[in-house]
Amino acid sequence: MADCVPGDALNRARRVRSKRLRVFSTVVATLDTCVRNAGQLFMLAWFPCALESACRIGLEWLTYGQPPRMPEWLLFEHFFPPTWLTPLVNAPLVAMAWAFVLSSICDRNPDRGTVTVAGIRRSWIRFELSPAVLLGASIFLATHLVDGLLRLLHFKLLLATYPLFEGRDAVFDAWTRWSVALPILAVSAVAAWTYPIAAQALRTGALDRARVRSLMRGNRLRLTAIFLLLNLASYQFYALIRPATEWIVQSLVDPLSWTLREAIIRHVIQFPFDMFWVVAWAVTMAIVMDTLGSPANRSGLFPENESS
């Protein structure tokens, strides 16, 4: 029966079967790429990530400063800083960092967003608020809003189930810790649908949903698993470094309430880690797009790494 299958059809079937993401291999490739190309990735993403940190400090000042300047109707405790403005302000800057990483890895364009400033080395500063970046940012914004609402639902779930654990505080504490995985799993599934669209929009400036569906066919659950691993790793990572960060901040300042100095010191300490996770997510999506869309180019993720 095999002789009845045309050669080109058989080759297409083999290519379709070969375009399957490998969950752990993709995560390992992300870490390997981030380590091997740390300097290049830092140059691509540091400026938008620094702006994002500065915006967070500004939102904290509006929210926690005395007297508080943030209108109460804009507060939402399931974002940090706890305001609906957090995803609105951060989305364009995160999209900008993603755009630079995606262009460098997927499109072999390491010069995107370069800003020429007298006296500063070329490629040190990158900034772009193009229609493509704004389109990608709108998709990130929608995803982050869903993330916040899922955290709210998780909080309400804990409140609703608390009476079931009355008198069994240890069991409720265990349920609280493990149930954190529920919103993380849900937002990972949402991101598996939205982030490929955002990545395509950032690269092309258009919502090519047909192209994304073609790339993701048979890989949506695999991408959900990849994002779930990244989300869990990020959650555990910040849980581990939070005590050290608080100890360093308290050794430098000892405020009884929020202060601008404390916020700046905290964000300076966390900046390398915050930037790493922004870049890691962008690199992951770039590897996914490059793997599924351009299998011939997998030998080198950056132009400099390609063989001549």
XYZ file of all heavy atoms in Angstrom, residues 103-190:
689
model
N 12.865 39.403 16.540
C 13.473 39.823 15.279
C 14.893 39.295 15.147
O 15.325 38.898 14.063
C 13.472 41.350 15.174
O 12.169 41.834 14.986
N 15.625 39.273 16.255
C 17.004 38.807 16.204
C 17.077 37.301 15.969
O 17.894 36.825 15.174
C 17.726 39.161 17.510
O 19.087 38.792 17.446
N 16.196 36.541 16.631
C 16.260 35.085 16.538
C 15.549 34.562 15.291
O 16.103 33.763 14.539
C 15.674 34.437 17.806
C 16.546 34.756 19.020
C 15.554 32.923 17.638
C 16.028 34.199 20.322
N 14.311 35.014 15.083
C 13.489 34.447 14.002
C 13.774 35.088 12.651
O 13.746 34.395 11.625
C 12.002 34.609 14.336
S 11.485 33.717 15.818
N 14.016 36.386 12.634
C 14.147 37.108 11.370
C 15.572 37.515 11.053
O 15.816 38.200 10.061
C 13.243 38.348 11.390
C 11.794 37.987 11.680
O 11.334 36.966 11.141
O 11.143 38.714 12.448
N 16.506 37.132 11.927
C 17.925 37.455 11.727
C 18.122 38.952 11.517
O 18.888 39.393 10.666
C 18.511 36.673 10.541
C 18.244 35.163 10.570
C 18.646 34.549 11.918
N 18.707 33.106 11.858
C 17.747 32.294 12.319
N 16.652 32.811 12.839
N 17.893 30.989 12.266
N 17.398 39.745 12.309
C 17.481 41.198 12.225
C 17.879 41.743 13.594
O 17.019 42.089 14.409
C 16.136 41.786 11.787
C 16.140 43.309 11.782
O 17.209 43.933 11.778
N 14.967 43.910 11.805
N 19.184 41.835 13.889
C 19.631 42.283 15.206
C 19.588 43.797 15.392
O 19.937 44.286 16.465
C 21.072 41.776 15.268
C 21.528 41.813 13.845
C 20.317 41.467 13.013
N 19.179 44.552 14.357
C 19.231 46.016 14.430
C 17.869 46.657 14.694
O 17.773 47.886 14.722
C 19.794 46.580 13.124
C 21.212 46.105 12.854
O 21.983 46.009 13.826
O 21.537 45.814 11.688
N 16.841 45.868 14.902
C 15.510 46.446 15.078
C 15.467 47.328 16.324
O 15.931 46.964 17.395
C 14.464 45.333 15.215
C 13.047 45.859 15.382
C 12.034 44.745 15.357
N 10.685 45.260 15.507
C 9.582 44.511 15.468
N 9.682 43.205 15.284
N 8.394 45.058 15.618
N 14.879 48.493 16.172
C 14.679 49.396 17.296
C 15.888 50.197 17.707
O 15.819 50.964 18.681
N 17.005 50.052 17.000
C 18.226 50.752 17.390
C 18.024 52.263 17.318
O 17.537 52.797 16.318
C 19.394 50.342 16.492
O 19.607 48.937 16.609
C 20.669 51.076 16.887
N 18.394 52.947 18.382
C 18.299 54.410 18.466
C 19.712 54.979 18.494
O 20.538 54.572 19.320
C 17.527 54.857 19.718
C 17.507 56.379 19.825
C 16.109 54.298 19.680
N 19.992 55.878 17.596
C 21.310 56.502 17.541
C 21.340 57.725 18.449
O 20.557 58.651 18.281
C 21.664 56.921 16.105
O 21.605 55.770 15.247
C 23.050 57.539 16.053
N 22.238 57.690 19.431
C 22.401 58.793 20.372
C 23.867 59.193 20.365
O 24.760 58.337 20.483
C 21.967 58.392 21.795
C 22.172 59.555 22.773
C 20.511 57.943 21.799
N 24.121 60.481 20.228
C 25.499 60.971 20.180
C 26.232 60.616 21.462
O 25.731 60.826 22.571
C 25.504 62.492 19.977
N 27.427 60.046 21.296
C 28.250 59.704 22.436
C 27.951 58.355 23.052
O 28.622 57.945 23.994
N 26.934 57.650 22.534
C 26.573 56.338 23.061
C 26.743 55.316 21.949
O 26.331 55.545 20.808
C 25.130 56.312 23.595
C 24.988 57.302 24.759
C 24.740 54.912 24.042
C 23.602 57.357 25.336
N 27.334 54.205 22.294
C 27.602 53.163 21.305
C 26.308 52.689 20.649
O 25.301 52.491 21.313
C 28.297 51.986 21.991
C 28.692 50.860 21.053
C 29.349 49.747 21.847
N 29.588 48.568 21.020
C 30.083 47.428 21.474
N 30.392 47.336 22.767
N 30.267 46.413 20.664
N 26.372 52.520 19.336
C 25.206 52.070 18.589
C 24.737 50.707 19.100
O 25.536 49.853 19.420
C 25.540 51.996 17.099
C 24.338 51.703 16.210
C 24.747 51.778 14.752
N 23.609 51.513 13.866
C 23.255 50.301 13.465
N 23.959 49.254 13.868
N 22.212 50.129 12.665
N 23.437 50.530 19.161
C 22.745 49.311 19.610
C 22.636 49.207 21.124
O 22.069 48.252 21.629
C 23.415 48.031 19.062
O 24.564 47.677 19.805
N 23.161 50.203 21.855
C 23.007 50.174 23.306
C 21.588 50.532 23.720
O 21.108 50.063 24.748
C 24.010 51.122 23.969
C 25.282 50.430 24.337
C 26.346 50.203 23.535
C 25.613 49.862 25.610
N 27.330 49.535 24.212
C 26.910 49.321 25.490
C 24.958 49.775 26.828
C 27.546 48.668 26.550
C 25.594 49.141 27.889
C 26.869 48.590 27.742
N 20.924 51.383 22.959
C 19.565 51.799 23.286
C 18.643 51.401 22.146
O 18.915 51.705 20.984
C 19.493 53.321 23.533
C 20.350 53.713 24.741
C 18.053 53.766 23.742
C 20.349 55.189 25.043
N 17.568 50.721 22.499
C 16.560 50.301 21.516
C 15.189 50.723 22.014
O 14.847 50.498 23.186
C 16.598 48.782 21.305
C 17.905 48.280 20.720
C 17.973 46.760 20.779
N 19.286 46.290 20.365
C 19.612 45.930 19.136
N 18.690 45.976 18.182
N 20.822 45.521 18.844
N 14.430 51.302 21.108
C 13.083 51.762 21.463
C 12.231 51.743 20.200
O 12.675 52.177 19.143
C 13.120 53.171 22.055
C 11.798 53.624 22.594
C 11.433 53.339 23.902
C 10.919 54.330 21.802
C 10.202 53.758 24.406
C 9.686 54.753 22.282
C 9.333 54.463 23.598
N 11.003 51.246 20.346
C 10.107 51.181 19.188
C 8.657 51.121 19.671
O 8.293 50.223 20.435
C 10.408 49.946 18.330
C 9.474 49.790 17.137
C 9.706 48.497 16.376
O 10.845 47.988 16.380
O 8.732 47.992 15.786
N 7.857 52.066 19.233
C 6.415 52.034 19.490
C 5.691 52.050 18.155
O 4.931 52.962 17.849
C 5.976 53.210 20.366
C 6.104 53.032 21.877
C 5.598 54.256 22.614
C 5.373 51.776 22.359
N 5.970 51.030 17.371
C 5.377 50.901 16.043
C 3.996 50.266 16.152
O 3.621 49.739 17.209
C 6.277 50.029 15.170
O 6.352 48.725 15.714
N 3.207 50.293 15.071
C 1.919 49.576 15.091
C 2.068 48.102 15.453
O 1.204 47.537 16.125
C 1.398 49.770 13.662
C 2.012 51.056 13.207
C 3.371 51.090 13.833
N 3.160 47.478 15.006
C 3.371 46.065 15.338
C 3.534 45.871 16.834
O 2.955 44.945 17.433
C 4.606 45.537 14.603
N 4.321 46.743 17.486
C 4.525 46.640 18.935
C 3.223 46.913 19.674
O 2.878 46.210 20.633
C 5.636 47.604 19.388
C 5.663 47.718 20.910
C 6.990 47.135 18.866
N 2.475 47.912 19.244
C 1.208 48.226 19.911
C 0.187 47.103 19.721
O -0.600 46.811 20.635
C 0.660 49.545 19.380
C 1.502 50.787 19.708
C 0.893 52.032 19.074
C 1.631 50.976 21.216
N 0.206 46.467 18.556
C -0.705 45.349 18.322
C -0.344 44.174 19.231
O -1.219 43.561 19.857
C -0.641 44.925 16.851
C -1.569 43.790 16.414
C -3.031 44.149 16.686
C -1.353 43.486 14.932
N 0.941 43.874 19.303
C 1.376 42.818 20.216
C 1.072 43.162 21.659
O 0.667 42.292 22.448
N 1.245 44.439 22.023
C 0.971 44.870 23.393
C -0.499 44.687 23.749
O -0.833 44.332 24.885
C 1.382 46.331 23.574
N -1.392 44.921 22.789
C -2.815 44.745 23.064
C -3.142 43.294 23.373
O -3.995 42.997 24.228
C -3.648 45.236 21.878
O -3.442 44.412 20.736
N -2.446 42.360 22.730
C -2.655 40.944 23.006
C -2.082 40.584 24.376
O -2.696 39.831 25.145
C -2.031 40.083 21.901
C -2.663 40.433 20.545
C -2.192 38.598 22.194
C -1.977 39.796 19.360
N -0.912 41.130 24.694
C -0.352 40.917 26.032
C -1.281 41.477 27.098
O -1.485 40.855 28.148
C 1.019 41.592 26.149
C 2.130 40.849 25.469
C 3.158 41.533 24.855
C 2.155 39.467 25.447
C 4.195 40.853 24.230
C 3.177 38.771 24.825
C 4.199 39.471 24.222
N -1.833 42.653 26.835
C -2.733 43.281 27.797
C -3.943 42.387 28.077
O -4.319 42.173 29.233
C -3.186 44.638 27.277
C -4.243 45.381 28.102
C -3.746 45.647 29.508
C -4.632 46.680 27.405
N -4.532 41.855 27.016
C -5.685 40.974 27.196
C -5.299 39.736 28.011
O -6.047 39.310 28.908
C -6.243 40.567 25.835
N -4.125 39.170 27.728
C -3.676 37.983 28.459
C -3.448 38.300 29.931
O -3.837 37.527 30.820
C -2.381 37.439 27.842
O -2.569 37.243 26.435
C -1.977 36.128 28.489
N -2.833 39.455 30.216
C -2.553 39.823 31.603
C -3.829 40.136 32.364
O -3.922 39.867 33.561
C -1.600 41.016 31.638
C -0.249 40.714 31.061
N 0.637 41.693 30.645
C 0.365 39.529 30.825
C 1.729 41.122 30.176
N 1.588 39.820 30.275
N -4.814 40.704 31.686
C -6.096 40.951 32.345
C -6.772 39.630 32.713
O -7.337 39.500 33.811
C -7.004 41.786 31.436
C -6.602 43.250 31.251
C -7.514 43.923 30.228
C -6.630 44.014 32.570
N -6.712 38.668 31.806
C -7.252 37.342 32.118
C -6.502 36.729 33.295
O -7.113 36.119 34.191
C -7.175 36.424 30.884
C -7.523 34.982 31.250
C -8.101 36.922 29.791
N -5.185 36.905 33.324
C -4.376 36.408 34.433
C -4.850 37.005 35.758
O -5.017 36.286 36.758
C -2.905 36.751 34.185
C -1.989 36.200 35.272
O -2.374 35.218 35.933
O -0.887 36.752 35.447
N -5.085 38.315 35.786
C -5.560 38.954 37.008
C -6.926 38.443 37.440
O -7.179 38.212 38.628
N -7.804 38.241 36.475
C -9.137 37.732 36.800
C -9.071 36.291 37.299
O -9.845 35.897 38.190
C -10.039 37.828 35.573
C -10.365 39.263 35.119
C -11.176 39.242 33.831
C -11.123 40.016 36.214
N -8.152 35.495 36.762
C -7.987 34.130 37.244
C -7.473 34.121 38.674
O -7.883 33.276 39.488
C -7.017 33.370 36.333
C -7.553 33.007 34.950
C -6.437 32.463 34.066
C -8.679 31.980 35.062
N -6.599 35.054 39.011
C -6.137 35.151 40.402
C -7.276 35.551 41.322
O -7.379 35.053 42.455
C -5.003 36.174 40.497
C -3.757 35.784 39.732
C -2.664 36.813 39.921
N -1.569 36.640 38.985
C -0.459 37.350 38.994
N -0.297 38.292 39.897
N 0.490 37.126 38.114
N -8.137 36.435 40.855
C -9.307 36.812 41.646
C -10.220 35.608 41.861
O -10.713 35.379 42.982
C -10.069 37.937 40.941
C -11.393 38.368 41.576
C -11.177 38.892 42.989
C -12.077 39.420 40.703
N -10.459 34.830 40.821
C -11.290 33.637 40.952
C -10.667 32.631 41.908
O -11.374 31.981 42.695
C -11.502 32.997 39.576
C -12.401 33.754 38.605
C -12.425 33.055 37.245
C -13.818 33.864 39.161
N -9.348 32.511 41.867
C -8.655 31.609 42.793
C -8.849 32.076 44.232
O -9.108 31.257 45.137
C -7.168 31.553 42.450
C -6.360 30.756 43.424
N -5.356 31.305 44.203
C -6.424 29.441 43.773
C -4.833 30.381 44.965
N -5.450 29.239 44.726
N -8.760 33.379 44.463
C -8.974 33.925 45.805
C -10.395 33.650 46.284
O -10.619 33.237 47.429
C -8.691 35.428 45.793
C -8.951 36.110 47.107
C -8.113 35.912 48.192
C -10.054 36.944 47.251
C -8.366 36.539 49.402
C -10.316 37.566 48.457
C -9.469 37.366 49.536
N -11.359 33.844 45.398
C -12.749 33.579 45.761
C -12.979 32.087 46.006
O -13.788 31.702 46.871
C -13.684 34.095 44.671
C -13.737 35.623 44.603
C -14.766 36.098 43.599
C -14.865 37.614 43.597
N -15.358 38.142 44.888
N -12.277 31.236 45.268
C -12.370 29.801 45.493
C -11.867 29.433 46.881
O -12.484 28.612 47.584
C -11.575 29.056 44.421
C -11.469 27.536 44.580
C -12.844 26.889 44.453
C -10.501 26.953 43.554
N -10.759 30.048 47.285
C -10.234 29.783 48.633
C -11.223 30.232 49.700
O -11.426 29.525 50.701
C -8.890 30.499 48.810
C -7.725 29.995 47.960
C -6.478 30.819 48.230
C -7.455 28.519 48.245
N -11.847 31.395 49.499
C -12.842 31.864 50.466
C -14.039 30.917 50.530
O -14.565 30.632 51.619
C -13.312 33.271 50.086
C -12.317 34.412 50.258
C -12.962 35.737 49.834
C -11.832 34.509 51.704
N -14.456 30.423 49.363
C -15.633 29.552 49.328
C -15.366 28.195 49.963
O -16.268 27.583 50.549
C -16.095 29.375 47.890
N -14.134 27.699 49.836
C -13.820 26.368 50.361
C -13.324 26.389 51.795
O -13.204 25.324 52.412
C -12.752 25.689 49.477
O -11.581 26.527 49.409
C -13.296 25.455 48.070
N -13.058 27.565 52.344
C -12.509 27.633 53.712
C -13.413 26.951 54.748
O -12.906 26.232 55.624
C -12.254 29.092 54.106
C -11.717 29.228 55.513
C -10.397 28.885 55.798
C -12.535 29.679 56.559
C -9.900 28.997 57.083
C -12.046 29.782 57.841
C -10.730 29.437 58.101
O -10.245 29.532 59.374
N -14.751 27.139 54.678
C -15.595 26.460 55.677
C -15.467 24.938 55.644
O -15.701 24.274 56.670
C -17.024 26.896 55.296
C -16.835 28.201 54.594
C -15.552 28.051 53.841
N -15.094 24.369 54.509
C -14.943 22.920 54.425
C -13.751 22.417 55.225
O -13.684 21.226 55.546
C -14.790 22.499 52.956
C -15.927 22.890 52.008
C -15.574 22.478 50.577
C -17.227 22.229 52.442
N -12.811 23.321 55.517
C -11.593 22.931 56.240
C -11.594 23.460 57.673
O -10.534 23.547 58.298
C -10.353 23.459 55.506
C -10.180 22.900 54.124
C -10.697 23.562 53.022
C -9.502 21.715 53.917
C -10.530 23.061 51.743
C -9.326 21.206 52.646
C -9.846 21.879 51.549
N -12.749 23.835 58.176
C -12.828 24.413 59.517
C -12.258 23.438 60.538
O -12.647 22.265 60.600
C -14.273 24.747 59.869
C -14.403 25.545 61.161
C -15.822 26.031 61.384
O -16.683 25.798 60.515
O -16.061 26.644 62.434
N -11.321 23.955 61.331
C -10.659 23.128 62.332
C -9.508 22.312 61.780
O -8.868 21.564 62.535
N -9.257 22.414 60.503
C -8.142 21.666 59.884
C -7.247 22.650 59.134
O -7.159 22.629 57.903
C -8.685 20.593 58.946
C -9.474 19.488 59.652
C -10.000 18.470 58.662
N -11.019 19.056 57.793
C -11.543 18.417 56.754
N -11.114 17.206 56.443
N -12.478 19.001 56.018
N -6.624 23.521 59.889
C -5.824 24.597 59.291
C -4.660 24.066 58.464
O -4.311 24.634 57.420
C -5.303 25.530 60.387
C -6.418 26.329 61.033
O -7.514 26.382 60.450
O -6.196 26.874 62.132
N -4.028 22.977 58.925
C -2.883 22.430 58.187
C -3.323 21.928 56.811
O -2.620 22.130 55.810
C -2.242 21.296 58.984
N -4.494 21.303 56.756
C -5.002 20.811 55.475
C -5.341 21.980 54.561
O -5.054 21.954 53.353
C -6.233 19.911 55.682
C -6.791 19.427 54.343
C -5.885 18.724 56.559
N -5.950 23.035 55.139
C -6.292 24.203 54.327
C -5.031 24.898 53.805
O -5.005 25.361 52.659
C -7.127 25.191 55.142
C -7.535 26.407 54.365
C -8.521 26.335 53.392
C -6.918 27.638 54.586
C -8.895 27.448 52.658
C -7.282 28.755 53.856
C -8.277 28.658 52.895
N -3.996 24.968 54.649
C -2.741 25.566 54.193
C -2.159 24.778 53.028
O -1.650 25.369 52.055
C -1.737 25.618 55.344
C -2.122 26.641 56.401
O -2.956 27.517 56.095
O -1.599 26.556 57.535
N -2.222 23.441 53.108
C -1.721 22.617 52.006
C -2.558 22.832 50.741
O -2.015 22.955 49.637
C -1.740 21.148 52.412
N -3.872 22.916 50.903
C -4.760 23.177 49.763
C -4.456 24.540 49.144
O -4.444 24.695 47.923
C -6.210 23.086 50.226
C -7.206 23.794 49.354
C -7.980 24.844 49.719
C -7.545 23.512 47.996
N -8.785 25.246 48.677
C -8.540 24.438 47.601
C -7.109 22.569 47.070
C -9.090 24.448 46.326
C -7.660 22.581 45.795
C -8.637 23.504 45.431
N -4.193 25.535 49.989
C -3.872 26.870 49.498
C -2.604 26.855 48.654
O -2.540 27.461 47.571
C -3.705 27.849 50.669
O -4.915 27.893 51.428
C -3.368 29.248 50.178
N -1.582 26.134 49.143
C -0.312 26.095 48.413
C -0.459 25.360 47.085
O 0.017 25.831 46.053
C 0.769 25.424 49.278
C 1.270 26.276 50.421
C 2.554 25.693 51.004
N 2.311 24.372 51.586
C 1.944 24.155 52.833
N 1.748 25.190 53.652
N 1.757 22.937 53.294
N -1.124 24.231 47.096
C -1.225 23.434 45.876
C -2.215 24.024 44.886
O -2.051 23.865 43.664
C -1.614 21.993 46.226
C -0.481 21.221 46.802
C -0.273 20.923 48.126
C 0.636 20.670 46.095
N 0.892 20.217 48.287
C 1.475 20.042 47.055
C 1.000 20.629 44.758
C 2.661 19.395 46.704
C 2.180 19.982 44.406
C 2.998 19.379 45.372
N -3.242 24.706 45.389
C -4.249 25.260 44.475
C -3.714 26.421 43.655
O -4.346 26.830 42.676
C -5.491 25.709 45.259
O -5.188 26.798 46.116
N -2.555 26.960 44.029
C -1.933 28.020 43.237
C -1.684 27.535 41.807
O -1.680 28.331 40.858
C -0.619 28.470 43.901
C 0.181 29.373 42.974
C -0.911 29.192 45.217
N -1.501 26.232 41.661
C -1.242 25.683 40.326
C -2.437 25.829 39.399
O -2.265 25.815 38.167
C -0.843 24.212 40.440
N -3.646 25.969 39.948
C -4.840 26.050 39.103
C -4.844 27.299 38.222
O -4.986 27.185 36.996
C -6.099 25.976 39.970
C -6.305 24.669 40.742
C -7.552 24.759 41.617
C -6.419 23.501 39.771
N -4.696 28.521 38.790
C -4.642 29.693 37.902
C -3.403 29.703 37.012
O -3.448 30.223 35.884
C -4.662 30.881 38.870
C -4.186 30.342 40.165
C -4.673 28.922 40.209
N -2.315 29.120 37.489
C -1.110 29.056 36.667
C -1.351 28.172 35.446
O -0.971 28.516 34.319
C 0.085 28.537 37.494
C 0.468 29.567 38.558
C 1.272 28.236 36.602
C 1.601 29.119 39.466
N -2.008 27.029 35.660
C -2.338 26.152 34.540
C -3.299 26.845 33.581
O -3.126 26.772 32.353
C -2.961 24.860 35.068
C -3.503 23.886 34.009
C -2.387 23.442 33.064
C -4.152 22.680 34.687
N -4.297 27.534 34.119
C -5.288 28.192 33.269
C -4.650 29.280 32.418
O -4.910 29.372 31.204
C -6.417 28.771 34.130
N -3.799 30.118 33.019
C -3.195 31.205 32.242
C -2.171 30.653 31.256
O -1.957 31.243 30.182
C -2.560 32.257 33.176
C -1.208 31.808 33.716
C -2.403 33.586 32.442
N -1.562 29.516 31.562
C -0.646 28.880 30.604
C -1.407 28.434 29.369
O -0.920 28.574 28.234
C 0.064 27.690 31.254
O 0.858 28.092 32.355
N -2.612 27.895 29.587
C -3.439 27.478 28.451
C -3.883 28.679 27.628
O -3.897 28.627 26.393
C -4.654 26.702 28.960
N -4.238 29.778 28.301
C -4.626 30.994 27.582
C -3.447 31.526 26.767
O -3.591 31.886 25.591
C -5.132 32.065 28.573
C -5.339 33.402 27.858
C -6.434 31.613 29.230
